[in-house]
Amino acid sequence: MSSTSKFSTPGGKSSELPMLKGTHGPECADVRGLYKDAGVFTYDPGYATTASCKSAITFIDGDEGILLYRGYPIEQLAEHSDYLEVCHLLMYGELPTPEESAKFNNIIKQHTMVHENIRDFISGFRYDAHPMAMLVGTVGALSSFYHDSLDINNPKHREISAQRLIAKMPTIASYCHNHSRGLPFMYPDNTLSYVENFTRLMFAVPAEQFEPNPVAVKALELIMILHADHEQNASTSTVRLAGSSGANPFASIAAGIASLWGPAHGGANEAVMNMLDAIQDSGETIDQTIARAKDKNDPFRLMGFGHRVYKNFDPRAKIIQQMCHELLDDLGGDQPMFDLARELEQKTLADDYFKERRLYPNVDFYSGIILRALDIPMSMFTVMFAMSRTVGWISHWMEMHEDPEGRIGRPRQIYTGAARRDYPV
Ligand code: CMC
């Protein structure tokens, strides 16, 4: 039976707010009638207690450290699945049968190449452009190449655009990298898996044979599964908001990429490495770094620690932590920097300030270290996050277009500016 909750204003107006309940998670007061009935808005900067939509894709319980894609725990998907199977799950709601999997893999492979003019387009960026700047521009520009699938009211067009985006992202991402290093653009090799192909696009050169490194492929596959979706985070909400006006999928995903770029979101793993490098260069001890992070007069925060939703250990961080430790033992790599990272991890986990505020290392703390261990340049970290998250963004975009309650996103505000006044004449 549905329940309601009554809201009353001090002025005596009231509104009956229906209480909505999903499969999991807290009840939600449906405030849609509040302004009409009681003449008030709700105020929630950062939308920390606002459900902006109904979604059947991903569930997070931040207190319990639970993350489910279409009901499946992330731990099980990380152990048993692969990235393209997860893409199918997120996009279509179900794990594919073997036949569906073969068909989906085939479709994605058919779309891995990009129009030759996109290669020229990327070549036109300045030699030192940040790969994220190139990515956001190039993905937005895809809408000028694929006119045949831009009717957002046509479900088939929406699906083809989604498949194109998932398929072309590794190609575009690698070209952004190769352009910034003066390396040739490789063509995709469709005999390889999605992730193997990406490593080839990034690291192969035409003059040499290329064999994907299984350790790198395994680590990247895991990172990509863990980053594939995360419900209504800033970039996904941005994709929905941009898409809610009817913007085409490429423009909407470009908006999501722009949102992901910030250091409080997808830029965090790059920020982690910058922080570790700065600690190493300055000779500061980890105890001094931690003291700065705790000092309220110092704006410095430990990058890669804390999460808006997970107030318990980030379940993705738990999975990736193990992979990170194994990889560091296996690969060696930049040992002094990795030793710093381990010391920081251990000391913060034991520190009362971080324990009381439930600030744990998040997924980006470990993914940054893994990507560094795999020799992936720092400027590519957020690009790789965008590549992994494209399926989540486009799944939300598709879901939004199928939602009969969907409306253009248009928040309200509390106006705090000057009161009405007359122009001096
Ligand atoms: N270092 C030191 N203190 C921190 C940190 C940190 N990284 N994060 C939060 N705090 C403190 C903060 O100062 C506040 O202390 P007090 O209660 O004494 O005022 C308390 O913890 C709560 O912080 P908040 O700012 O209210 O928390 P939030 O939920 O608004 O912010 C966050 C979440 C992720 C933006 C923040 O923890 C942060 O800036 N972390 C560093 C950046 C980072 O790693 N971001 C990646 C997040 S995961 C990526 C993703 O899923 O997209």
Side-chain angles (χ1 to χ4, degrees), residues 82-123:
D82 62 46
Y83 182 68
L84 274 194
E85 188 180 59
V86 167
C87 288
H88 187 286
L89 175 68
L90 291 169
M91 261 180 80
Y92 299 107
E94 295 298 335
L95 289 168
T97 62
E99 294 73 35
E100 286 167 340
S101 179
K103 189 174 162 208
F104 185 66
N105 275 264
N106 204 28
I107 290 172
I108 297 300
K109 284 184 175 174
Q110 278 170 20
H111 288 295
T112 49
M113 285 173 66
V114 292
H115 193 291
E116 289 291 298
N117 290 159
I118 291 177
R119 297 160 62 98
D120 300 341
F121 182 87
I122 295 174
S123 298

Side-chain angles (χ1 to χ4, degrees), residues 24-156:
H24 297 301
E27 275 189 294
C28 279
D30 179 350
V31 297
R32 279 175 293 183
L34 194 59
Y35 180 59
K36 188 163 74 60
D37 296 343
V40 297
F41 293 152
T42 54
Y43 180 60
D44 184 16
Y47 315 117
T49 54
T50 296
S52 61
C53 60
K54 291 177 185 162
S55 179
I57 300 174
T58 290
F59 173 74
I60 299 173
D61 183 330
D63 290 325
E64 297 298 323
I66 292 171
L67 170 60
L68 311 176
Y69 291 169
R70 300 282 189 183
Y72 294 105
I74 191 66
E75 295 79 3
Q76 293 179 22
L77 292 167
E79 191 177 346
H80 303 296
S81 192
D82 62 46
Y83 182 68
L84 274 194
E85 188 180 59
V86 167
C87 288
H88 187 286
L89 175 68
L90 291 169
M91 261 180 80
Y92 299 107
E94 295 298 335
L95 289 168
T97 62
E99 294 73 35
E100 286 167 340
S101 179
K103 189 174 162 208
F104 185 66
N105 275 264
N106 204 28
I107 290 172
I108 297 300
K109 284 184 175 174
Q110 278 170 20
H111 288 295
T112 49
M113 285 173 66
V114 292
H115 193 291
E116 289 291 298
N117 290 159
I118 291 177
R119 297 160 62 98
D120 300 341
F121 182 87
I122 295 174
S123 298
F125 282 103
R126 230 181 94 124
Y127 71 98
D128 59 352
H130 193 287
M132 275 302 276
M134 292 190 249
L135 187 74
V136 75
T138 307
V139 171
L142 290 180
S143 39
S144 65
F145 287 88
Y146 300 106
H147 302 132
D148 60 340
S149 60
L150 288 184
D151 178 2
I152 57 152
N153 298 314
N154 180 331
K156 199 68 212 158

